[in-house]
Structure formats: C-alpha cells, structure tokens
Amino acid sequence: MCIRALFLFISLLMASFVVSAQEKQASNLSAAKDVAETVCAACHGVDGNSAITLNPRLAGQHPGYLVKQLNDFKAGKRSNAVMAGMVANLTDEDIKGLADYFAAQLSKLGKAKINGKGSLGERIYRGGIASSQLPACAACHGANGEGLPKRFPRLSGQHAEYTVQQLNAFRKGARANGPMMQVIAAKMTEVEMRAVADYIQGLR
C-alpha cells in the first residue's frame, strides 16, 4: 500500500512539473509574441517574413541559430548598431522565447529572378567551384537550404539582397562571428555571390 501511494505521489509530482513547464513555455512564447509584434515587426515582420529585403527573414529559422546570433549581437561578436540596441536588455529567457517564436512561424516561399535550374547559382550551391576551391553551399546548408540546427542556418527563401550583404560582410571582415564563412566568402566574386543568393531565394 505504501509503495503504491509513493508511486502515485511521484507520478502526480512529475505531472505537475510537466504542466508547470508547459505553462512557463506558453507564457514565454506569449511574451515573445508581444515583443515581436511591438519591437521586431518593423524590420522583420510580425511573423518573421520581412518585407524589407536587406533585413533577414526569421520565420522557420532554427531556434538554436537565432539564439546564437542574438547573443552574438549582445556580446558584440556580431556588429550591428540597431541590433545591439535591440538586444541590450534582453534576458536569456527573452532571447530563447523570441527564437522559439520566430522558429515556429511559417516561412513564405521566395522566388529566384534568373538563377533557376542549370544556372550559375545552382552550380555554386550544389557543386561549388573546384578551380577556386569554393565548396558547395549544400554541404552545410542542405540540398534544399534547410540547414542544420545550432550549426548552420536555414537559407531557403532568404532575401537575395540580404544574403549578398552578409557574404560581403564576411569577405570584408565586417562580420566575424562565422570564421568558416569568412574563408568561403573570400573565394567568391560579386557575380558569384549574386548568382547563388538569387538561387537561394528560390529554394524550397
């Protein structure tokens, strides 16, 4: 009888912990939604699908990657005056909540302008350029641009203009929180950057 009572007590205790964790997560997401709608929306859209092509689409991005980028902005490892101000007072809990919120949003599909099947953009993305030792983007970011959680971001549907901006930032050393991308971008010409960025915009 005592063993059964103890088992019941432990079961009820564990259930209360699960409910408490779920309630806390729901509360965090609700708070993150409020921040996203009032602070982030102007640049990234309420649902993370930014209408401004120089600002990244955040919808559907891996939460671990978003957490890293927000922390890098906060620590000064990634330089951006606007974002530094936005994240300055965010707690770890705030950052996780925002990352989870944007990751849960549905990413709108983009469309390549000229770099479709058989294009330079596709060749670079899928096979790289052997002559300049440029690796294929797909090796890290996946065949369809889905990326790998915590390590490599999702690229599919990302604004081409934003991608070109970031590749140039990596190449020039203005963005230093991705050493691998600095090496890769240094091997690329402007034409190659624009071609692969256009192709990425249409990935799905």
Side-chain angles (χ1 to χ4, degrees), residues 93-120:
E93 198 170 70
D94 295 332
I95 287 173
K96 185 180 185 308
L98 282 169
D100 288 341
Y101 170 77
F102 283 117
Q105 304 308 303
L106 184 64
S107 178
K108 293 180 180 177
L109 298 177
K111 187 176 182 181
K113 292 181 179 178
I114 58 174
N115 282 271
K117 191 172 179 61
S119 67
L120 173 62

Side-chain angles (χ1 to χ4, degrees), residues 48-118:
N49 286 289
S50 61
I52 304 168
T53 57
L54 276 173
N55 295 332
R57 283 179 167 162
L58 304 180
Q61 187 57 269
H62 301 305
Y65 178 78
L66 291 175
V67 166
K68 181 186 185 303
Q69 298 310 306
L70 289 171
N71 278 321
D72 283 356
F73 281 126
K74 190 172 181 178
K77 294 179 181 178
R78 182 173 175 182
S79 180
N80 183 291
V82 174
M83 284 303 302
M86 293 294 180
V87 302
N89 295 316
L90 294 180
T91 65
D92 290 345
E93 198 170 70
D94 295 332
I95 287 173
K96 185 180 185 308
L98 282 169
D100 288 341
Y101 170 77
F102 283 117
Q105 304 308 303
L106 184 64
S107 178
K108 293 180 180 177
L109 298 177
K111 187 176 182 181
K113 292 181 179 178
I114 58 174
N115 282 271
K117 191 172 179 61

Side-chain angles (χ1 to χ4, degrees), residues 189-200:
T189 67
E190 188 72 20
V191 169
E192 291 164 352
M193 287 182 181
R194 293 191 177 280
V196 78
D198 184 36
Y199 180 74
I200 285 168

Side-chain angles (χ1 to χ4, degrees), residues 137-201:
C137 308
C140 293
H141 296 285
N144 299 311
E146 66 275 16
L148 291 172
K150 295 186 180 179
R151 295 194 64 195
F152 306 115
R154 172 182 174 166
L155 297 182
S156 59
Q158 189 57 267
H159 294 306
E161 194 171 0
Y162 173 76
T163 301
V164 170
Q165 176 197 65
Q166 294 307 301
L167 286 171
N168 271 309
F170 279 125
R171 180 171 63 178
K172 296 172 184 176
R175 180 173 173 182
N177 73 330
M180 185 188 299
M181 282 306 305
Q182 287 183 280
V183 173
I184 290 170
K187 300 174 185 291
M188 301 180 76
T189 67
E190 188 72 20
V191 169
E192 291 164 352
M193 287 182 181
R194 293 191 177 280
V196 78
D198 184 36
Y199 180 74
I200 285 168
Q201 184 170 265

